[in-house]
Amino acid sequence: MKDIFSVKLKRRRFVGQKKGGVLLGITVFVCLKKENKLKNAAINFNNLSEDHCHSWFRCLKEILNGFPNRPKSLKVFVNPNSHKREATHVYYEQVAPLFKLADIKTDVTVTEYEGHALSLLKECELHTFDGVVCVGGDGSTSEIAHGLLLRAQMDAGRDTDYMLSPVRAPLPLGIIPAGSTNVLAHTLHGINHAVTATLHIIMGHIQPVDICTFGSPSKLLRFGFSAMFGFGARTLALAEKHRWMPSNQRRDFAVIKTLASLKPEECELSFLPLKNSLQGSQENVTKKKETLKKSDCKVQWHTIQGHFLNVSIMAIPCLCSMAPRGLAPNTRLNNGSMALIVVRNTSRSEFIKHLKRYASVKNQFNFPFVETYAVQEVKVQPRTKIGHDTEENVYLHATSAEGNYPWNIDGDLMEGASEVHVRVHPQLINLYGVSIDELDDSKAMCSCL
């Protein structure tokens, strides 16, 4: 019974007949699983007795209504501009019929501008819904997750500018992939498949997931699952300036253009290791530990400085078609830690070798210029050079006037922040999906963390 999500009376009707008809029996609709992919199927039970059919129908409906976490009412946001502008088609052709079959009521909003879903989530009556669904890409999903958590803080009377212990999101979030990379959906479901994502929602598969807060010294910037600073952020910033191009061409153009003008960022990174663990991919671990300066012995903060091509901070594994093992393979959805991946300055050819490893089964961190850490908190502080004295270069922390550094947070561009403080908050939001440990395509392991 746990695989059944709907039961209907089966009738024979003439063309154009909407009601009545000869009762033939009942049909149960089941969720079938093959590896990571889910699909629906119908099983017909023939019986011409009205009493028998109605008795079985009522009994099965009562059992189905007793399963916990299965939603009865959903708030749905559809981003019509995602990827190839196919989100609306995906929802009405593949998702909506399954919701209707499962007798789930929906309130659908097709977003009209960036931030539309966020503004609605701050005001709508969330208590009338059992869950929220996003049909779109990573940016849309991240915006809605941010909106749900921001609403939770507002309802709890919390200060939304600064929070050490935010309250949990009030409703689970479902993700229907309709973007270009769909990192969040792929990580959650193990596959980019709208029907699979829909059936996870219908079946009420709830998965608690860690999420991060990204804050400046004075306020909360946003909630998010992963972020990149440096190459990953500058690539996204360039792609956003060329949105007139098709999505795949825009992405490839931005990567090539950013690689052509590859340059490191001068940064200071402070981080709080997980369980005092200092691990990395450099062969000479002792030498790397000597580069760490303890800034606070009591809480065991560590600091590294230098020129970095890319800095990644990820609370989830971040699977996608271009990185089947994940951008952070040894991170899990809810283990209470983040992966800090630091790529120091190196030649363009070596950096490209590192990037190509993500698409293979080889360890993408097995380079002398790549360092990885399991952390709880991270502070990223870019530094900008001032003055022209070659004998004594003076560096000061970038001010808002001099250094509006771009950040890539879940595929969404964030600008205007210099110093950023990132904290991970364990199991702060529920997503419709399964545990990453259950996904067959994430079994590959590495010894980098």
Side-chain angles (χ1 to χ4, degrees):
M1 285 299 300
K2 66 182 177 61
D3 296 325
I4 297 175
F5 66 89
S6 182
V7 56
K8 302 291 182 182
L9 292 171
K10 181 183 177 183
R11 296 181 183 275
R12 179 189 293 124
R13 289 174 178 157
F14 298 106
V15 176
Q17 185 180 1
K18 296 182 179 180
K19 295 182 178 181
V22 179
L23 185 64
L24 301 178
I26 62 172
T27 301
V28 296
F29 296 89
V30 298
C31 175
L32 303 178
K33 181 178 180 181
K34 184 177 181 180
E35 296 181 346
N36 298 324
K37 192 173 184 179
L38 302 182
K39 66 177 184 178
N40 61 297
I43 302 175
N44 297 307
F45 294 91
N46 298 325
N47 194 314
L48 300 181
S49 169
E50 289 270 355
D51 291 338
H52 284 168
C53 289
H54 283 286
S55 178
W56 276 87
F57 177 79
R58 288 191 300 268
C59 182
L60 292 175
K61 287 287 288 186
E62 183 178 349
I63 294 174
L64 294 180
N65 290 333
F67 284 115
N69 301 326
R70 293 194 179 183
K72 304 292 190 299
S73 176
L74 294 170
K75 175 62 185 177
V76 180
F77 292 97
V78 180
N79 181 1
N81 297 316
S82 291
H83 192 35
K84 299 178 181 179
R85 303 180 182 273
E86 58 190 10
T88 305
H89 173 78
V90 167
Y91 177 73
Y92 286 107
E93 295 295 324
Q94 300 182 51
V95 180
L98 286 174
F99 283 162
K100 182 179 180 181
L101 188 62
D103 298 320
I104 297 175
K105 297 179 181 179
T106 57
D107 181 56
V108 182
T109 296
V110 179
T111 57
E112 300 175 1
Y113 53 88
E114 185 177 353
H116 188 188
L118 176 60
S119 63
L120 289 178
L121 284 170
K122 291 180 179 179
E123 302 173 354
C124 71
E125 299 292 335
L126 288 179
H127 67 271
T128 61
F129 302 106
D130 299 315
V132 176
V133 174
C134 173
V135 186
D138 292 322
S140 304
T141 304
S142 182
E143 177 187 328
I144 293 174
H146 172 68
L148 278 172
L149 285 163
L150 205 60
R151 172 64 181 270
Q153 314 316 308
M154 295 167 59
D155 291 345
R158 298 291 185 92
D159 182 2
T160 56
D161 286 336
Y162 183 77
M163 57 188 74
L164 286 174
S165 301
V167 298
R168 300 185 82 249
L171 297 175
L173 172 61
I175 307 171
I176 307 295
S180 54
T181 54
N182 301 306
V183 167
L184 291 170
H186 199 147
T187 302
L188 197 62
H189 309 132
I191 190 174
N192 278 339
H193 191 236
V195 171
T196 295
T198 305
L199 288 172
H200 278 302
I201 297 170
I202 292 172
M203 303 300 289
H205 296 158
I206 298 292
Q207 176 62 48
V209 177
D210 300 342
I211 198 169
C212 307
T213 49
F214 297 86
S216 69
S218 60
K219 66 176 182 177
L220 170 74
L221 298 174
R222 68 176 297 161
F223 291 91
F225 299 94
S226 65
M228 292 185 187
F229 175 80
F231 175 80
R234 295 198 177 278
T235 299
L236 178 63
L238 184 60
E240 288 296 309
K241 294 179 180 179
H242 295 79
R243 293 198 67 85
W244 53 271
M245 301 175 74
S247 57
N248 291 335
Q249 294 181 20
R250 180 172 70 242
R251 183 181 60 202
D252 294 342
F253 166 81
V255 169
I256 294 171
K257 187 81 171 179
T258 308
L259 282 173
S261 57
L262 187 65
K263 62 178 181 180
E265 302 285 359
E266 174 72 5
C267 284
E268 178 179 292
L269 302 177
S270 302
F271 59 91
L272 184 62
L274 183 69
K275 297 180 181 179
N276 305 324
S277 174
L278 287 175
Q279 301 178 13
S281 60
Q282 287 182 321
E283 294 180 1
N284 192 346
V285 178
T286 304
K287 181 179 178 181
K288 185 181 72 175
K289 287 185 178 181
E290 291 175 356
T291 66
L292 303 177
K293 303 186 305 182
K294 288 191 177 182
S295 59
D296 190 334
C297 295
K298 293 183 180 179
V299 295
Q300 298 177 336
W301 279 84
H302 294 82
T303 301
I304 57 177
Q305 297 179 358
H307 292 81
F308 305 114
L309 291 176
N310 193 66
V311 177
S312 299
I313 304 168
M314 300 177 175
I316 61 175
C318 295
L319 278 68
C320 64
S321 59
M322 295 175 290
R325 297 176 65 248
L327 300 178
N330 271 35
T331 307
R332 289 295 176 262
L333 288 171
N334 55 9
N335 65 352
S337 72
M338 300 180 292
L340 171 63
I341 303 167
V342 179
V343 182
R344 291 185 178 271
N345 192 22
T346 187
S347 66
R348 183 181 291 107
S349 61
E350 287 296 302
F351 183 65
I352 292 175
K353 288 181 182 178
H354 162 66
L355 294 181
K356 286 183 175 180
R357 286 276 185 94
Y358 281 99
S360 69
V361 296
K362 296 181 179 180
N363 184 358
Q364 62 263 44
F365 308 126
N366 191 24
F367 292 93
F369 53 86
V370 180
E371 302 170 14
T372 61
Y373 306 91
V375 300
Q376 302 173 59
E377 296 185 38
V378 181
K379 295 179 182 178
V380 181
Q381 203 164 31
R383 301 167 73 90
T384 187
K385 184 177 178 180
I386 64 172
H388 302 282
D389 186 356
T390 56
E391 295 182 0
E392 185 178 356
N393 291 328
V394 181
Y395 290 87
L396 291 180
H397 294 302
T399 63
S400 59
E402 294 173 312
N404 289 336
Y405 295 89
W407 280 76
N408 179 342
I409 298 181
D410 298 328
D412 208 6
L413 184 64
M414 183 183 76
E415 294 181 300
S418 53
E419 179 182 346
V420 175
H421 188 175
V422 187
R423 291 185 177 93
V424 64
H425 303 279
Q427 303 184 25
L428 199 62
I429 189 170
N430 283 337
L431 302 182
Y432 285 109
V434 294
S435 171
I436 193 69
D437 294 324
E438 299 176 15
L439 302 182
D440 295 334
D441 62 346
S442 65
K443 295 302 182 182
M445 302 291 289
C446 65
S447 59
C448 58
L449 292 176

